[in-house]
Amino acid sequence: NAGVTQTPKFRVLKTGQSMTLLCAQDMNHEYMYWYRQDPGMGLRLIHYSVGEGTTAKGEVPDGYNVSRLKKQNFLLGLESAAPSQTSVYFCASSYPSGSVYNEQFFGPGTRLTVL
Amino acid sequence: LAKTTQPISMDSYEGQEVNITCSHNNIATNDYITWYQQFPSQGPRFIIQGYKTKVTNEVASLFIPADRKSSTLSLPRVSLSDTAVYYCLVGNYNTDKLIFGTGTRLQVFP
């Protein structure tokens, strides 16, 4: 199993450009999450999804949109990138609701720089 | 929201026991406490999770007092490979109330 994979690993954007980050998991997890991590800070939840076709806002959703058209994929979109969105983005997935352990499995991250 | 507070950094030597405490005064009744480890340029990795009292697995122990306002991650006999950032996460995976702390940077010296 590949676990959680993220595409791309690195990206440089100019202010105002758009892009989509792809997260894929092969563990049949119901829940998927997008976080951002800035230097010296912990992870902050952007959006999450509790199942195919559903998404919800996290702690810092502004400037981002997400979609969960397939259970195994969770896309994070930036419609008009801003320098404040320069960060490392992590995707994660977890067991279905009601499981004894709700461990999150994280991807390797995408390093995004917005100039 | 159950905000968490952890020490910014800790130093230790190989073979010692390390205890990292996380404060979460506003923890909710249905919140769990989870600890993650993160190495540079990698995503966090699950270490241990608990709700109350003590939990132990093959790599760590988690101590949670009765009031659940804090928790302590205990790493027995650390090695150089335990040098990493450790995050305390408090929340309920059925909601968006997942709050990571700012992490504790553990440096293990030979």
Side-chain angles (χ1 to χ4, degrees), chain B residues 94-105:
Chain B
N94 293 330
T95 74
D96 62 340
K97 305 298 188 287
L98 293 172
I99 306 297
F100 273 87
T102 52
T104 298
R105 187 173 300 275

Side-chain angles (χ1 to χ4, degrees), chain A residues 21-56:
Chain A
L21 281 67
L22 171 64
C23 176
Q25 53 94 5
D26 60 3
M27 296 173 282
N28 200 35
H29 286 166
E30 291 290 338
Y31 287 16
M32 296 187 74
Y33 316 79
W34 275 108
Y35 291 91
R36 61 176 289 173
Q37 185 173 37
D38 300 307
M41 298 184 68
L43 286 83
R44 292 184 291 171
L45 184 64
I46 304 172
H47 285 279
Y48 68 104
S49 168
V50 300
E52 182 179 321
T54 69
T55 63

Side-chain angles (χ1 to χ4, degrees), chain A residues 71-93:
Chain A
K71 185 177 183 178
Q72 64 268 32
N73 295 337
F74 195 28
L75 278 63
L76 177 70
L78 286 74
E79 290 185 349
S80 180
S84 61
Q85 294 178 304
T86 293
S87 187
V88 180
Y89 292 85
F90 288 102
C91 175
S93 67

Side-chain angles (χ1 to χ4, degrees), chain A residues 51-62:
Chain A
E52 182 179 321
T54 69
T55 63
K57 295 180 180 180
E59 182 186 0
V60 289
D62 294 341

Side-chain angles (χ1 to χ4, degrees), chain B residues 3-17:
Chain B
K3 289 200 170 187
T4 64
T5 303
Q6 303 174 232
I8 295 174
S9 64
M10 296 181 69
D11 293 335
S12 182
Y13 291 94
E14 282 192 293
Q16 290 188 331
E17 178 184 74

